[in-house]
Amino acid sequence: MKAFIIEDEIMAQKSLIRALSYNFPDIDVAGTATSVKGAVAWLKENNVDIIFMDVELADGTCFEIFRQVDVRAKVIMTTAYDSYALKAFEAGSVDYLLKPVEPEHLKRAVARCRMSGGSIDYEALARAIDGASGKRNYKERYIVRFNDRIIPLATSSIAYIFSEDKNNYLVTFDGQKYIIDSSLDVISEELDPEYFFRISRGCIVSMKAIGTIIKQMGGRLRITATPEPPFEMTVSRSRVDDFLAWLER
C-alpha cells in the first residue's frame, strides 16, 4: 500500500512516518505535504491507497483539497479535537485518529481502511464537521492591501498579529507581513479562541505558531514563534494562567 501524509506540524508528521514504518512494513509513505496547496499539487500527479490528513492546515481546511482534486484513496483524519473526530467517523467511510496518535488506534484505523469499501461523501463530511462544535461562526478570512493589490487571507494562514508604531500588522506562516485596519480588540473577538490567544494588549498568536515557552522573571512568559517575530513575544503576567490553560485544551 502507498500512503500520503498531509500534516503541517513537522514533528507530528515525522512521528506518524515512524509509527507506520514500525507497525506496517507493507505501507510505503510515497509523499508528504504541509498545506492545502502542496497536497493538491502532489495529488494531481500521484495516486495512493490511503491518505492521513490533518483537518486544520496552515492555509485552510483539508476539505478544500477535496474540492480541487478527485480523491479516490481511503482517508484517515487526524485531529486534536474530539468533536471533529466523532463527526468524521459518523459521516461516512472514513476513520480518524486523535492526536497524539496512539499505536493501537493507528492499527485500528489502518485495519478499518483495509476492510472498508465504497466511496466517501466528502461534502456531507465537511458539513458534519463544520457543525461539530456547535459554536458561533468565526472569521475565516481578512482582506489586506499590499501596494496596489487586494489580497484575501485565510485566518488559518495567520501566525500572529501585533501592534507597532500605531499600526496593526498581520504575519502569515510564510513570513509575509501586512497592515490590517481592524484593531486588536475587534480582531480578538473575530478569531476562533480554540486557535488564537491574545497574549498581551499588543499581540495575538496562533497556537500553530508557538515553538517554545520560556519563564521569565516577574511571572511573564516569553514565546519563540515561527516565523520569528520582529519583537520579543511575551505573555502578560495577568494572562499567564489563562494562556497555559488554553495550551492544555
Side-chain angles (χ1 to χ4, degrees):
M1 293 182 72
K2 289 187 177 181
F4 182 51
I5 297 174
I6 307 170
E7 169 61 70
D8 61 355
E9 296 178 13
I10 299 302
M11 292 299 293
Q13 186 185 110
K14 291 180 177 179
S15 176
L16 182 54
I17 291 172
R18 287 194 300 269
L20 288 170
S21 176
Y22 181 80
N23 292 285
F24 303 99
D26 65 318
I27 294 181
D28 172 36
V29 178
T32 62
T34 59
S35 65
V36 170
K37 182 179 179 180
V40 168
W42 196 94
L43 288 169
K44 283 183 176 179
E45 301 294 330
N46 300 274
N47 293 309
V48 290
D49 303 295
I50 185 170
I51 300 174
F52 294 86
M53 184 180 292
D54 192 5
V55 174
E56 298 284 347
L57 299 167
D59 59 345
T61 69
C62 65
F63 303 108
E64 295 173 35
I65 298 169
F66 299 134
R67 297 185 181 106
Q68 298 180 54
V69 182
D70 185 12
V71 178
R72 299 286 183 177
K74 302 292 172 54
V75 175
I76 295 176
M77 298 287 184
T78 60
T79 176
Y81 303 101
D82 286 306
S83 57
Y84 280 163
L86 293 174
K87 289 296 181 181
F89 184 66
E90 293 168 0
S93 56
V94 58
D95 211 329
Y96 66 89
L97 291 169
L98 286 177
K99 297 179 183 179
V101 175
E102 298 290 339
E104 290 305 312
H105 297 166
L106 176 62
K107 293 176 183 177
R108 176 210 66 195
V110 171
R112 284 178 174 167
C113 275
R114 290 188 197 274
M115 294 184 295
S116 67
S119 60
I120 300 169
D121 184 345
Y122 295 114
E123 289 300 324
L125 178 59
R127 288 194 299 271
I129 290 182
D130 285 344
S133 62
K135 296 180 298 186
R136 56 174 268 201
N137 292 324
Y138 290 98
K139 195 88 168 178
E140 293 186 358
R141 63 187 56 83
Y142 285 98
I143 300 298
V144 297
R145 291 168 177 78
F146 184 75
N147 296 329
D148 60 345
R149 290 183 292 162
I150 297 174
I151 305 170
L153 288 178
T155 54
S156 56
S157 71
I158 299 172
Y160 46 84
I161 302 165
F162 69 98
S163 297
E164 185 179 71
D165 297 331
K166 298 184 179 180
N167 287 319
N168 297 319
Y169 297 94
L170 180 157
V171 179
T172 58
F173 284 100
D174 60 4
Q176 297 298 310
K177 177 181 171 183
Y178 304 93
I179 289 179
I180 187 167
D181 295 331
S182 300
S183 70
L184 262 65
D185 287 340
V186 171
I187 295 170
S188 64
E189 291 296 321
E190 294 176 334
L191 292 173
D192 190 335
E194 284 196 10
Y195 307 109
F196 293 91
F197 190 90
R198 189 171 184 178
I199 59 172
S200 65
R201 288 181 59 84
C203 183
I204 300 169
V205 65
S206 165
M207 186 176 290
K208 289 184 177 180
I210 297 171
T212 58
I213 301 165
I214 303 166
K215 290 184 178 180
Q216 293 187 308
M217 292 184 64
R220 295 196 305 173
L221 302 175
R222 180 165 64 87
I223 296 172
T224 62
T226 303
E228 184 176 353
F231 59 95
E232 186 174 273
M233 186 178 284
T234 58
V235 183
S236 300
R237 285 191 298 269
S238 62
R239 306 185 189 201
V240 165
D241 289 343
D242 288 340
F243 173 72
L244 293 175
W246 173 72
L247 285 178
E248 292 179 343
R249 287 182 183 177

